[in-house]
Amino acid sequence: MHVQGFRGVILTMNSAQGKDPHSDTEKNGQPSFSWQGFMGLVSFSTILPINIHSTIPEMARFTFLWPLVGGFIGIIVGGFGWLLIDPLHLSPLLSAALIYSLAISFTGFHHLDGLVDFGDGLMAHGDPERRIEIMRDKRIGTGGLASLLTVSLITFTSITAIPPVYILPTLFVSEVAAKMSLVSCATFSKPLDNGTGQYFINSMNGKLLIVSLIFTLILGFLALKYIGIIGIMGGIISGIIMVLITRRSFKYTTGDILGASNEIGRMLSLLIMVIFILWGF
């Protein structure tokens, strides 16, 4: 989720209606809780042409439900994968390339952009402020390219190794786990005050994380039994790892880091599930 890159779109949408995208609140000073907020999050997370005008604080109220949006994306991506492998009988390599392309493009490449920026900041030298400055630079460095290549190769190879009968449920769980990684990262992170990622981070707490964990584990079990649960746990582990790396290298978490956690969460979830499937669990 590259929040900074998407910020201009939100500003334009709401400026047209005379709304401040960062301060839509109820009388008690809290962001309003409305269906427009959730649909705005769906629009924010996908390239679907949903004509919903929502502010960032409205969307952030539904951060704990982000894995549900991931489940919707997983149905699209998983159904596409099943179509390629079963009725069309395309080769595993070609199918994996098309599946991964859909997974990253359906979200408008926002998360992938965050991964690249995160890699640049992580490889930079200097204090946390300097690393964040480099992460926000529009140029792409070696660290960003290396991160993109590593995550993409492992994700792509994991998809090629999924047995055809497991393709739809595995891809579904991986997208839910990707968002669970993002939510877990947001829960335990310290936000940067001048970034839009702060709204998503500040909206999360331990209780909401438990709610997210419960319904994602249920989704994982319904899709793939215990392997599905393992896949969801892979996303949570990814989010925690991202928090530990961020605290050491950046101190604060930005929208780029949340986006990177999505991509790394999908990768780790797929990798773990494929291993357990091939081991015969």
Side-chain angles (χ1 to χ4, degrees), residues 5 17 22 96 106 135 147 214 223 232 240:
Q17 294 187 338
H22 299 112
F106 193 68
M135 186 165 57
S147 299
I214 291 173
I232 297 298
I240 294 175

Side-chain angles (χ1 to χ4, degrees), residues 9-22:
V9 177
I10 302 296
L11 288 171
T12 302
M13 289 168 56
N14 293 284
S15 295
Q17 294 187 338
K19 297 173 67 177
D20 181 354
H22 299 112

Side-chain angles (χ1 to χ4, degrees), residues 238-257:
S238 168
I240 294 175
I241 291 174
M242 288 294 293
V243 171
L244 295 176
I245 293 174
T246 299
R247 287 180 177 178
R248 183 193 63 187
S249 301
F250 300 97
K251 188 178 180 179
Y252 300 100
T253 297
T254 67
D256 285 323
I257 294 173

Side-chain angles (χ1 to χ4, degrees), residues 109-136:
F109 301 105
H110 301 312
H111 303 308
L112 203 67
D113 187 42
L115 174 65
V116 173
D117 291 339
F118 171 74
D120 281 336
L122 191 63
M123 293 295 294
H125 297 284
D127 56 22
E129 289 74 17
R130 174 58 178 164
R131 290 172 181 267
I132 291 176
E133 179 183 350
I134 292 175
M135 186 165 57
R136 288 180 163 180

Side-chain angles (χ1 to χ4, degrees), residues 39-80:
M39 293 307 298
L41 186 64
V42 175
S43 177
F44 181 83
S45 306
T46 67
I47 58 173
L48 295 177
I50 302 175
N51 189 26
I52 296 293
H53 300 285
S54 178
T55 66
I56 293 175
E58 281 180 322
M59 291 187 295
R61 289 291 296 272
F62 294 91
T63 300
F64 74 103
L65 293 180
W66 222 327
L68 287 181
V69 181
F72 168 71
I73 297 172
I75 291 174
I76 300 297
V77 175
F80 180 66

Side-chain angles (χ1 to χ4, degrees), residues 98-166:
L98 294 174
I99 291 168
Y100 185 51
S101 297
L102 177 62
I104 59 177
S105 62
F106 193 68
T107 57
F109 301 105
H110 301 312
H111 303 308
L112 203 67
D113 187 42
L115 174 65
V116 173
D117 291 339
F118 171 74
D120 281 336
L122 191 63
M123 293 295 294
H125 297 284
D127 56 22
E129 289 74 17
R130 174 58 178 164
R131 290 172 181 267
I132 291 176
E133 179 183 350
I134 292 175
M135 186 165 57
R136 288 180 163 180
D137 194 302
K138 299 300 181 182
R139 293 170 294 182
I140 299 176
T142 304
L145 290 175
S147 299
L148 174 63
L149 182 62
T150 300
V151 173
S152 296
L153 279 176
I154 295 176
T155 303
F156 168 78
T157 307
S158 296
I159 295 174
T160 64
I162 301 173
V165 69
Y166 289 103

